[in-house]
Amino acid sequence: MAVLEASRARRARRLPRLATGLLALVAAASVATGALAGRTLLHRGEVMPGVQVLGADLGGLGREAAAARIERVAAPRLRQPIELDVGAERVTVVPAELFRSDTTSTVTAALAAGRDGWGERARSLLAPLTPATELELRLVRRPDAAKRLRAVLRPYAKPPVAAKVSMDGLEPVVSASRPGLRPDLAGLLAALQRRSAAGDGPVPVVFRPSAPAVGDAAARAAAEEARLVVSAPVALTFDGRVVARLSAERLAELLTFKPHSGRLLVLFADEKLAAALAPAVEPFTEQPVDATFDADGTRAWVVPAKPGLGLDPDRSLVAVTTAAHERGERTAALELKPVPAELTTGAARALGIRERISSFTTELGPSSSNRIHNVHLMADYIDATIVKPGAVFSFNKRVGPRTAERGFLEGQMIVGSLLLPSIGGGVCQTATTLFNNAFELGLPILERHNHSFYISHYPLGRDATVSWGGPDFKFRNDLERPIVIKTSYTDSTLTFTFYGRDQGRKVVARTGERTNWRQPGKTYALDPAAPRGSVRLERGAHQAGFDVTVYRTVTQNGKTIRKDSFKSHYIPVGDTAVYGPARTIPGPYFVIPTT
């Protein structure tokens, strides 16, 4: 009993000591928790201590400061080349060309690090006594990353070769396919992204088999189909009767093989087949007629267009293709379709060309029938020409070469101080008339050349000379509306009239005094076609040469829009000594063309 009482006494004495220790432990824990809570509160909005990216400490930094530090350490890292192991060789790529730093995402991860539970916060807040928390740099692929990487690896890849079929006469020949090797770009980009953010050493490139677009079996099937297509001629019919035939050899020439979804389609070349079929229906076709303009000297109106009739290439292609796949009767019915005019009636009316806006007439003077013919022919080439706003009219481009094949006759042309026989004589009459018309409308003159000597039946200083392959006459339509050029002529006059919309334009012209007079003297020429050593004298008009300038002021609705001038330099015309080859010419000379 005494022992039991003693034991109770000892337990009673220990209880206060245990309670005191427990209270001390709880108090210590409360102090630590409070301290952690305090430090956590202290780092609110900042990266917790011990958090790093690429070895750079971000602890205590706010979002902007952390972002700036990440960008500073990320830039040199992404500029460091990475080796790619492509087997026997190694190539390098620069990560910065494939990826960019995702700074925003990396900062967000850094701000969240070390805050996941009490233990994580304690470990972070005890830094640097605890190990650092290393975060991976987050990257984003550039849009052209795969394209850039493919270009780097192209020399090491092996493109597949598709099977092909070609025709050797009537026999289709199959070229076998070959598989290729292609880099696994998706896997390689993922590995490079990881390697760029962390790690070291080369990155191996994995090549995978690449199948050809067309295999051998598909090519053999196409060859068999081609044999059927060229097995016999195809008869072409129109309106129920045979008009032509496509021989087996011609069918083979027109064949083409087009890859599509792993197959080789056996087709006819569209344009070549249409060209081969066109002659068969040509007697039944009609050419479309463009809308044009007629005029009465004051007003202009639209002459309606007329649609034509031509081969329907799409339906005819289907007909021939279907017939060529038949084993029995092989007949293709060709079809025609309406062909619209290039300038429709509606489009011509929409141009708004209604009234005369300028006109000019020149006298043909003493002219041969050949010269009159040429002038009329050139006027016909120019008639109904439409010059749209901003467009440039070129005489040579519009009229074309003056050749016998195009209907031109022999006339005369000016060469130096001589008038010589030439196909297309009369061209300058036409150019001069057109120049004065554009001049009177106040249009910008882009190119104009005067004759070498003065011709009195043209306005002084307002003539224009052209030649094929040489000087041209050009003007630009600077009006708001299009212009149509209409022509009219007799055996003694030529008139060009411009129709469009009047914009209130006025032209005032002034011809200056003739200056720099030069008296005629003897000139010299070389005639390569003349007899060797010969000399002949061509009598000239013995007229003086001079310079003159024409001034032009263009106003529109009372406002001056253009002031310009046109200078002309006319040579004196005396006698001309024409030398043949192998003779010394005593002075400066010009050469007479041989064609």
Side-chain angles (χ1 to χ4, degrees):
M1 189 66 175
V3 174
L4 183 61
E5 289 295 330
S7 176
R8 286 175 178 169
R10 285 195 298 274
R11 282 201 301 272
R13 288 195 298 272
R14 280 201 302 269
L15 278 172
R17 288 201 298 273
L18 284 171
T20 302
L22 227 105
L23 287 171
L25 200 57
V26 169
S30 296
V31 169
T33 301
L36 288 173
R39 291 199 68 189
T40 301
L41 188 63
L42 182 65
H43 287 283
R44 185 174 59 185
E46 297 177 351
V47 179
M48 295 289 275
V51 177
Q52 299 180 357
V53 171
L54 295 178
D57 185 17
L58 305 181
L61 299 181
R63 181 176 291 274
E64 292 185 4
R69 183 165 295 180
I70 289 171
E71 289 179 357
R72 279 200 302 273
V73 297
R77 174 78 181 196
L78 294 179
R79 286 196 296 268
Q80 292 177 5
I82 297 177
E83 286 190 331
L84 300 180
D85 189 345
V86 289
E89 297 184 46
R90 285 187 178 179
V91 293
T92 60
V93 293
V94 178
E97 296 178 352
L98 307 176
F99 311 103
R100 62 175 177 81
S101 171
D102 188 352
T103 306
T104 301
S105 176
T106 306
V107 169
T108 300
L111 289 170
R115 300 178 187 274
D116 189 12
W118 189 88
E120 279 292 316
R121 289 197 296 273
R123 193 172 74 85
S124 295
L125 292 170
L126 290 174
L129 301 177
T130 56
T133 301
E134 183 68 31
L135 299 181
E136 187 177 275
L137 174 68
R138 301 194 178 190
L139 301 175
V140 175
R141 291 181 193 175
R142 295 189 181 277
D144 60 348
K147 179 180 178 182
R148 286 175 175 269
L149 200 53
R150 186 181 294 110
V152 171
L153 296 173
R154 186 172 291 121
Y156 309 97
K158 182 181 177 183
V161 177
K164 296 180 181 178
V165 178
S166 59
M167 297 301 295
D168 183 6
L170 296 179
E171 182 59 27
V173 179
V174 175
S175 300
S177 65
R178 293 197 304 271
L181 290 173
R182 59 176 178 79
D184 179 7
L185 294 180
L188 182 56
L189 278 168
L192 282 171
Q193 189 164 345
R194 292 191 296 270
R195 168 67 176 76
S196 301
D200 204 355
V203 177
V205 180
V206 177
F207 287 88
R208 303 193 183 281
S210 176
V214 178
D216 295 345
R220 288 192 294 270
E224 195 59 35
E225 183 181 350
R227 287 189 183 93
L228 172 62
V229 169
V230 301
S231 61
V234 170
L236 306 176
T237 66
F238 180 75
D239 200 18
R241 57 194 177 97
V242 176
V243 292
R245 293 181 187 275
L246 289 176
S247 67
E249 291 77 11
R250 188 67 177 122
L251 291 171
E253 292 172 352
L254 296 170
L255 272 186
T256 184
F257 300 88
K258 182 179 179 181
H260 178 72
S261 300
R263 299 172 52 209
L264 265 184
L265 302 181
V266 183
L267 306 169
F268 288 111
D270 297 9
E271 293 184 2
K272 290 183 178 179
L273 179 61
L277 300 179
V281 295
E282 186 176 1
F284 314 103
T285 61
E286 296 178 8
Q287 290 297 318
V289 178
D290 283 349
T292 186
F293 289 86
D294 205 349
D296 59 8
T298 301
R299 300 194 64 79
W301 58 89
V302 174
V303 178
K306 294 181 181 178
L309 200 61
L311 177 75
D312 187 328
D314 296 333
R315 290 179 177 273
S316 299
L317 172 64
V318 171
V320 172
T321 303
T322 302
H325 283 78
E326 296 291 341
R327 297 184 183 276
E329 183 180 354
R330 295 159 63 92
T331 301
L334 305 183
E335 297 188 34
L336 302 182
K337 69 173 185 177
V339 179
E342 186 174 345
L343 180 62
T344 64
T345 303
R349 286 173 177 157
L351 295 177
I353 296 172
R354 296 193 180 94
E355 57 192 330
R356 181 183 67 190
I357 51 179
S358 71
S359 185
F360 202 87
T361 300
T362 58
E363 303 285 337
L364 269 65
S367 295
S368 66
S369 59
N370 282 6
R371 184 174 187 272
I372 293 171
H373 167 87
N374 291 338
V375 169
H376 291 179
L377 182 58
M378 285 180 279
D380 290 339
Y381 277 122
I382 295 170
D383 187 44
T385 298
I386 296 172
V387 188
K388 293 184 177 180
V392 173
F393 174 91
S394 161
F395 186 96
N396 280 335
K397 185 176 180 180
R398 182 61 188 175
V399 174
R402 278 70 82 178
T403 62
E405 292 76 15
R406 300 184 68 236
F408 288 91
L409 304 177
E410 183 178 83
Q412 289 183 316
M413 70 174 179
I414 297 174
V415 178
S417 57
L418 298 176
L419 273 174
L420 300 175
S422 171
I423 298 294
V427 64
C428 296
Q429 177 92 37
T430 315
T432 293
T433 311
L434 201 58
F435 162 63
N436 278 276
N437 209 336
F439 180 98
E440 291 292 343
L441 189 53
L443 300 178
I445 307 301
L446 305 184
E447 182 178 351
R448 170 261 174 185
H449 307 269
N450 64 275
H451 291 80
S452 58
F453 55 78
Y454 175 59
I455 300 174
S456 60
H457 64 266
Y458 293 147
L460 178 61
R462 287 173 56 171
D463 56 327
T465 183
V466 296
S467 68
W468 182 250
D472 197 2
F473 165 63
K474 297 178 183 178
F475 68 84
R476 183 174 65 249
N477 177 13
D478 68 336
L479 300 174
E480 297 173 1
R481 292 276 188 168
I483 295 168
V484 66
I485 305 174
K486 293 296 294 178
T487 66
S488 60
Y489 48 71
T490 66
D491 286 351
S492 58
T493 62
L494 171 66
T495 301
F496 285 115
T497 304
F498 289 0
Y499 293 86
R501 284 283 188 90
D502 186 6
Q503 290 186 196
R505 226 171 236 201
K506 303 295 181 184
V507 173
V508 176
R510 177 177 64 84
T511 303
E513 296 293 328
R514 304 185 197 195
T515 61
N516 195 20
W517 286 93
R518 298 170 296 281
Q519 295 304 313
K522 181 180 287 187
T523 56
Y524 301 93
L526 170 63
D527 184 358
R532 291 178 62 83
S534 66
V535 179
R536 71 177 187 271
L537 188 68
E538 298 284 348
R539 296 290 181 182
H542 292 274
Q543 68 179 33
F546 58 90
D547 297 343
V548 68
T549 300
V550 175
Y551 302 90
R552 182 178 69 163
T553 300
V554 183
T555 60
Q556 185 167 310
N557 299 321
K559 181 180 178 181
T560 299
I561 62 170
R562 182 171 298 111
K563 282 188 175 184
D564 47 16
S565 60
F566 303 86
K567 297 180 180 180
S568 297
H569 176 82
Y570 299 112
I571 66 171
V573 181
D575 297 335
T576 303
V578 181
Y579 285 72
R583 282 293 299 265
T584 300
I585 303 176
Y589 63 91
F590 60 90
V591 179
I592 296 175
T594 56
T595 57

